[in-house]
């Protein structure tokens, strides 16, 4: 068994070539505008970014997907929105109603979020981070309860999506158009 595992970890294929500069530039533009607007909205709604820096990481990972790989399954709107929102609900629920060790709560939040995202066809890897943030976040995050699902999660994901719809469709490259599907 160990021999099989080791043989499968060798890979065998070569790394794909670097993307063209135009794709890199579009990715940069979308990520910059999207994350900047999420940060501005956080300031307007008086959410202290320094107390919710993990959240910036969750949305940063989403930005990599929706601006850097807009054709990927994980990057589609249903995955972006559903993955974050479902995972936030699960994370808040676990943090709020289960009196267990935080390490167990975090593991439950992430693993149950993955299961829920699979069942709903909304798998979005940063959703796992969103669920974990709901559990390990600051007292300020915990005190917001289910409001955390609306803001910053749902509103932030919608902002990232709106920017992705504009930036990814400005390119003349037909492979850059976004989304591939909604439902």
């Amino acid at each position: 068994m160990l021999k099989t595992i080791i043989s499968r970890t060798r890979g065998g294929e070569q790394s794909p070539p670097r993307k063209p500069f135009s794709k890199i530039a579009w990715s940069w533009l979308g990520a910059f505008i999207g994350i900047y607007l999420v940060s501005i909205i956080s300031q307007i709604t008086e959410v202290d970014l320094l107390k919710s820096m993990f959240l910036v990481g969750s949305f940063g990972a989403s930005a990599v997907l929706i601006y850097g790989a807009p054709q990927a399954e994980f990057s589609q709107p249903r995955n972006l929105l559903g993955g974050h929102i479902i995972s936030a609900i699960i994370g808040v629920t676990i943090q709020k109603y289960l009196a267990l060790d935080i390490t167990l709560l975090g593991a439950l939040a992430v693993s149950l979020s993955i299961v829920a995202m699979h069942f709903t066809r909304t798998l979005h890897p940063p959703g796992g981070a969103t669920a974990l943030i709901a559990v390990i976040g600051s007292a300020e995050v915990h005190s917001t309860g289910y409001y955390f699902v609306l803001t910053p999660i749902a509103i932030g994901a919608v902002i990232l999506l709106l920017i992705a719809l504009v930036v990814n469709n400005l390119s003349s490259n037909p492979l850059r158009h976004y989304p591939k599907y909604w439902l």
Side-chain angles (χ1 to χ4, degrees):
M1 184 163 142
L2 183 59
K3 184 178 178 181
T4 302
I5 293 171
I6 291 171
S7 70
R8 290 180 179 175
T9 62
R10 291 191 182 126
E13 295 184 24
Q14 285 190 340
S15 175
R18 182 181 41 177
K19 300 296 180 189
F21 180 76
S22 61
K23 180 170 179 150
I24 295 169
W26 284 115
S27 299
W28 174 85
L29 181 64
F32 178 84
I33 294 170
I35 295 298
Y36 184 70
L37 286 177
V38 167
S39 299
I40 293 295
I41 295 300
S42 293
Q43 286 179 339
I44 291 170
T45 59
E46 298 179 2
V47 172
D48 187 351
L49 282 178
L50 294 177
K51 290 183 180 174
S52 59
M53 286 307 286
F54 291 121
L55 184 60
V56 175
S58 178
F59 284 146
S62 291
V64 170
L65 288 170
I66 65 175
Y67 307 122
Q71 296 300 304
E73 180 182 332
F74 297 145
S75 303
Q76 300 311 302
R78 72 175 285 121
N79 298 73
L80 171 70
L81 298 174
H84 276 298
I85 292 169
I86 289 167
S87 297
I89 291 168
I90 289 170
V92 169
T93 301
I94 285 174
Q95 188 281 322
K96 195 173 179 78
Y97 296 109
L98 294 180
L100 301 170
D101 180 72
I102 193 163
T103 56
L104 185 56
L105 292 175
L108 276 171
V110 173
S111 60
L112 290 174
S113 292
I114 291 170
V115 169
M117 288 186 285
H118 269 300
F119 276 119
T120 59
R121 298 178 303 122
T122 59
L123 196 63
H124 185 66
T130 297
L132 188 58
I133 292 162
V135 170
I136 68 168
S138 67
E140 183 180 35
V141 169
H142 293 162
S143 70
T144 61
Y146 289 103
Y147 189 64
F148 173 79
V149 177
L150 176 63
T151 184
I153 299 302
I155 291 174
V158 166
I159 290 168
L160 293 177
L161 174 60
L162 293 174
I163 300 304
L165 291 171
V166 173
V167 171
N168 288 331
N169 290 305
L170 285 174
S171 169
S172 61
N173 180 352
L175 298 177
R176 178 126 195 124
H177 294 176
Y178 179 79
K180 283 177 37 177
Y181 56 84
W182 283 93
L183 301 175

